[in-house]
Amino acid sequence: MIIQHMTETVTPIAAGAPASGVAALPQLGVIRVRGEDAASFLQGQLTQDMAQTKPGEARLAALCNPKGRVRASFIACRRAADEFWLVCSRDLLAATLKRLSMFVLRAKARLDDATAELALHGLVGDAATSVGGPVNAFIAPLPPADGVARALWIGGAGDASPAGPTLTAELWDWLAVRSGVATVTAPVAEAFVPQMLNYES
């Protein structure tokens, strides 16, 4: 599934719930994959066609166990021709990084935890459709929640945060549920196959 830019009209998602704003996302982390074989390496490990992902594009992807159950889910962002950022639940990052690193073998790819170097924010409503900020920020449009636009903003740890009313990380997680796109966390790792998470869509 390629994550497309959202064009839906922004509407309130529920009585009393903010329809626009920015949420810091400390519950997420980033595995960075760099090197001339980064795309081909990830092509063989994840459920998504990473070789066809263009720089600046993001796709939903998963890492599965041999039985086809999801170990970790990602917003996989191609930062450059030879660099990917895999955004996943922070409580699964260390184990996932270790698992992926086991299969690098002779591939010209280096994996590391880039979480401390980056800032992640969730954008909702107007904040997702009119975001500004540093030119080097990566913005990944995400499936909407009840018709409300969402996007993931990734910038440098020292960059100014995107502008907008402050939302909680908990509200962001609730909106992710409403969007129908689940993020696999440690308590449910290996509990689902990708089709149970709507990944075939």
Side-chain angles (χ1 to χ4, degrees):
M1 171 180 174
I2 298 177
I3 302 172
Q4 301 290 348
H5 288 278
M6 303 303 164
T7 57
E8 287 81 357
T9 302
V10 175
T11 56
I13 50 181
S20 179
V22 179
L25 303 176
Q27 72 272 37
L28 300 179
V30 181
I31 295 172
R32 179 170 50 202
V33 184
R34 292 179 286 183
E36 62 183 271
D37 293 340
S40 59
F41 168 70
L42 292 175
Q43 180 80 2
Q45 300 298 321
L46 306 184
T47 59
Q48 187 53 263
D49 189 347
M50 303 310 299
Q52 294 301 314
T53 304
K54 300 182 176 108
E57 219 173 50
R59 299 188 180 202
L60 301 175
L63 174 68
C64 295
N65 70 12
K67 294 183 179 180
R69 294 188 171 268
V70 179
R71 293 181 184 272
S73 61
F74 309 103
I75 301 169
C77 308
R78 191 163 194 172
R79 183 70 180 87
D82 60 353
E83 182 174 350
F84 290 81
W85 293 343
L86 305 179
V87 180
C88 64
S89 180
R90 201 162 184 171
D91 61 2
L92 288 173
L93 190 148
T96 304
L97 176 58
K98 182 178 179 180
R99 182 74 183 178
L100 284 170
S101 297
M102 289 171 56
F103 297 100
V104 172
L105 302 177
R106 296 180 182 177
K108 294 178 181 176
R110 303 182 311 280
L111 286 74
D112 66 312
D113 180 353
T115 306
E117 300 174 34
L118 300 170
L120 285 77
H121 294 274
L123 310 178
V124 178
D126 292 339
T129 56
S130 60
V131 65
V135 295
N136 62 335
F138 191 104
I139 301 170
L142 299 173
D146 296 327
V148 176
R150 299 187 312 128
L152 176 67
W153 184 98
I154 309 173
D159 291 344
S161 300
T166 300
L167 304 179
T168 65
E170 291 76 16
L171 177 59
W172 174 263
D173 287 342
W174 179 74
L175 292 172
V177 171
R178 296 296 301 169
S179 78
V181 176
T183 298
V184 172
T185 58
V188 293
E190 302 190 32
F192 308 107
V193 296
Q195 292 86 344
M196 295 166 73
L197 304 177
N198 294 326
Y199 272 41
E200 82 284 1
S201 300

